[in-house]
Every structure is written in structure tokens, then in C-alpha cells.
Amino acid sequence: MMRKLKYTQQDQWESEARETQSPILIETAKLKAKKNQIVDGLKNYTTTELHKNYNSLSLTANGKMEADQRSFQLEEVHFHHPAEHCFKGEATPRVLEAHFVHYGCLRQPLVVSVTFKLGSKNATFEKILTAMDDNKVEQFILLDDLIPKRGYFYRYIGSLTTPPLTEGVEWVVFEQAQMIDIDQLNHYMATFKEQNNRELQKLNHRKIEKYEI
């Protein structure tokens, strides 16, 4: 049964001696970009159901992507405020982060992370907010425009960012932020008032790979 997480008491979350946790701080300047021949797809993403959980908004979603010639099915998208992953050198955290949660044929998890900054109004996010107010999705929402089409992404092995904090999760984290405006952020926060971002975790000598989109 889902329960409300207390983000002000993260030190009390059930945990063992773990070395590959998420989220992390990404030091972009130290990494040399490779040409992307690893990740493909990331399109035809749609959502038809919406759920207001205790801590965040969750979308039941469909779509496929490939990583290392393995196929992954998109099952769910949810949001964290403010963003969980951070990029070294930025003065303030990004205001929102979407996790596109995929599973492979053996139920191995892969999460695509897209962060948001304040800027112009986001048409796709506006449709999500409308569905949130209505407590349902009237027509399927195409989520493709939330996926960055330029810049870089980073791959590393980490964990879920909520209990049970399961490790062995493949992460694809986009550096290029999408935009939402202040009214959209306030609209979201009117429903989900409390912050739900996990604290940054130690890298512990893990390898981060950087790819050019």
C-alpha cells in the first residue's frame, strides 16, 4: 500500500549499506562526450491515466525505447519538485524533474530523467495540469515534446530515489532543461505543496558516460 513519504526525515528511510544510490551531482565539464549510438526511440510516448499520489503526480504511460539494443517499455511518469539530479556549476536547483520509468523484458528498470527550469509556458505540461484538475485524461496526451532533442545526456547505474531505494537502475539524464512558466509551477505546487526531492547521494567512484544527442 502506498504511503506518504516524509522528505524531511530521509535519514529514517529504510536503508542498508548501499554504494550506488540516486540522485547524483553530475560534473559535466569533466566528461568527454561520445556520439550517441546507445539510446534510441524515446518517442510516441502517451498517457491515458492520471493519479494523484501522496507526494507527486503520476501518469500511466505507454511507449518504447532502446538502450544497448535492448527494448524497454515505458510504464509510468512522475514528478519531483524541485529537481533531484543536479549539474555542477548551477547556482540553484532546477524547479522540477520528470522520471520516465521503463522496464525491460526481465523487469530491469531504466529511468529517463528530464528536468525543468522557469521560462516560457510549456504546452504539454499545460495539458497535464488540466488533466490534474479534472482528475482524468479526456484524450491521450502525447509526451514526446518533453524529451529534449539537442544537447547531451548522461548514463550511470544508480537506484530508485524512493524506498525501497532499489539499486541496479539504469539512468539516462538529459542535461538540456525544458521550460515551464511560474504560473504552471505554482499551479502544480497548489496541489503538491511539499517538496519531494531526495538528497544528493555520493558517486562512490561510479562511471558516468556522456553522449551527444
Side-chain angles (χ1 to χ4, degrees):
M1 182 177 180
M2 185 170 293
R3 58 188 172 87
K4 185 173 183 178
L5 293 175
K6 295 182 179 180
Y7 278 84
T8 57
Q9 300 176 10
Q10 295 184 36
D11 59 334
Q12 298 180 19
W13 288 2
E14 298 174 7
S15 180
E16 299 174 358
R18 292 172 170 148
E19 297 294 325
T20 58
Q21 290 287 292
S22 298
I24 60 170
L25 174 68
I26 299 174
E27 298 188 38
T28 60
K30 291 185 176 182
L31 301 171
K32 184 176 181 181
K34 306 174 185 178
K35 185 176 180 180
N36 176 32
Q37 297 177 329
I38 301 296
V39 173
D40 194 18
L42 294 165
K43 58 185 178 181
N44 299 322
Y45 282 174
T46 60
T47 182
T48 55
E49 295 181 18
L50 176 146
H51 309 279
K52 293 179 182 177
N53 297 328
Y54 288 113
N55 296 101
S56 68
L57 183 67
S58 173
L59 309 173
T60 301
N62 296 293
K64 290 184 179 180
M65 66 169 288
E66 291 188 355
D68 296 317
Q69 299 182 338
R70 297 165 299 150
S71 181
F72 290 84
Q73 179 73 38
L74 176 65
E75 295 190 4
E76 188 251 355
V77 181
H78 62 264
F79 297 89
H80 293 269
H81 161 70
E84 296 193 308
H85 286 88
C86 295
F87 298 88
K88 190 170 183 178
E90 293 190 347
T92 57
R94 301 181 182 199
V95 297
L96 198 69
E97 181 170 340
H99 289 170
F100 292 73
V101 182
H102 304 71
Y103 289 93
C105 62
L106 299 177
R107 297 301 295 170
Q108 67 272 34
L110 185 153
V111 183
V112 173
S113 163
V114 177
T115 55
F116 295 79
K117 292 181 177 180
L118 289 179
S120 57
K121 185 174 183 178
N122 187 304
T124 300
F125 194 66
E126 188 67 20
K127 293 178 182 177
I128 293 171
L129 292 173
T130 298
M132 181 182 74
D133 290 342
D134 294 340
N135 283 311
K136 62 180 178 179
V137 179
E138 291 287 357
Q139 297 180 342
F140 75 87
I141 301 173
L142 186 64
L143 303 175
D144 292 14
D145 287 343
L146 296 182
I147 304 296
K149 305 299 188 295
R150 59 187 177 87
Y152 303 96
F153 68 84
Y154 301 84
R155 289 185 76 202
Y156 78 98
I157 300 298
S159 71
L160 300 180
T161 65
T162 57
L165 307 173
T166 306
E167 295 189 331
V169 177
E170 296 183 47
W171 280 90
V172 174
V173 182
F174 283 93
E175 182 177 359
Q176 179 69 33
Q178 299 289 41
M179 296 295 169
I180 57 174
D181 67 19
I182 186 63
D183 290 337
Q184 290 180 310
L185 178 62
N186 288 337
H187 189 162
Y188 181 83
M189 291 175 58
T191 299
F192 300 100
K193 298 178 176 62
E194 297 180 12
Q195 295 185 352
N196 68 324
N197 62 311
R198 190 187 185 197
E199 298 168 352
L200 291 173
Q201 304 296 304
K202 294 180 180 180
L203 187 59
N204 291 327
H205 307 293
R206 276 177 283 174
K207 180 180 180 182
I208 303 176
E209 298 175 333
K210 180 178 182 179
Y211 294 92
E212 186 174 1
I213 299 174

